Amino acid sequence: MEFHSIVQNVGKPGSPIADKGTFMPLITRLFAVAMLATTCVTLSAQMARSGEPAGTPGKLTVQYLAQSETLSAADLRAYTHATVTVHNPHTNADETYSGVPLIDLLVKLGAPHGHDLHGKALSDYVVATGSDGYKSVLALAEADPEFHPGQILVADEMDGKPLDEKTGPFRLVVTEDRRPARSVHSLVSVVVKAAE
């Protein structure tokens, strides 16, 4: 029996669905399942097109072109840390962060720095992504202290304590910005891309 004839015969004796009360909830559930499936396919396609790692909460994926590494909080603690103090206008308070200079993580994967950062590499850019999907973009040269006076850290501590569950375990901190809009809390990936 076709769907159209089922719908026409709802509630009539001998129809496969004799009770209107069971038919509408069934249609509602089928519609909800179809919408969920469509949303999942759409999100998967968007993530695949972005070419960026989706990221795992509690882990940080760092990628320079084809090279990548996934770090845990313990991995990051093994690196040499720097400390910076920034003013947070949202809380109207100074915050002191401890973390690893972003350039140190990128150099380990082969990113140019210092005198080697010139020519086409000056158009490379960094996309930092938080677990909530928030993204910010920086020029690769901004991460290099030979080009830029500020510091960009992947922080794991604030005011001497590990970052809390809401903002950590990793946070991108950009010191020279007047507003912390490019600082990314709950950081899950840092990807360097070449401008085309």
Side-chain angles (χ1 to χ4, degrees):
M1 185 176 277
E2 292 181 25
F3 180 77
H4 180 70
S5 67
I6 291 174
V7 172
Q8 285 181 336
N9 293 315
V10 169
K12 293 181 182 173
S15 77
I17 302 172
D19 180 15
K20 288 182 184 177
T22 59
F23 182 71
M24 290 313 291
L26 173 67
I27 292 296
T28 303
R29 280 185 289 223
L30 289 174
F31 179 74
V33 168
M35 291 303 295
L36 180 61
T38 301
T39 302
C40 289
V41 169
T42 302
L43 288 174
S44 295
Q46 287 173 348
M47 288 170 60
R49 279 195 307 267
S50 76
E52 295 175 26
T56 304
K59 300 277 187 184
L60 174 65
T61 300
V62 181
Q63 182 177 331
Y64 173 71
L65 305 178
Q67 302 294 320
S68 69
E69 179 177 24
T70 300
L71 302 168
S72 67
D75 295 331
L76 197 70
R77 280 193 297 274
Y79 282 83
T80 301
H81 277 49
T83 301
V84 298
T85 300
V86 295
H87 183 75
N88 184 339
H90 300 299
T91 60
N92 197 28
D94 288 342
E95 299 170 342
T96 301
Y97 289 93
S98 175
V100 178
L102 176 60
I103 194 68
D104 292 354
L105 299 174
L106 297 175
V107 165
K108 184 177 178 196
L109 298 175
H113 68 290
H115 295 293
D116 294 329
L117 183 54
H118 58 84
K120 188 173 180 190
L122 288 174
S123 65
D124 289 352
Y125 60 97
V126 179
V127 179
T129 305
S131 63
D132 61 356
Y134 184 85
K135 295 179 191 254
S136 72
V137 177
L138 306 145
L140 175 61
E142 288 180 278
D144 190 334
E146 290 192 31
F147 271 87
H148 191 259
Q151 285 189 291
I152 299 172
L153 293 184
V154 174
D156 56 0
E157 289 185 1
M158 183 179 86
D159 297 331
K161 298 175 186 165
L163 292 173
D164 63 24
E165 211 172 275
K166 181 181 175 187
T167 61
F170 309 108
R171 180 183 182 118
L172 187 75
V173 178
V174 183
T175 63
E176 292 297 305
D177 287 352
R178 292 181 186 214
R179 293 185 313 136
R182 291 194 299 171
S183 292
V184 179
H185 68 79
S186 304
L187 185 68
V188 293
S189 69
V190 175
V191 179
V192 177
K193 296 184 173 197
E196 296 178 13

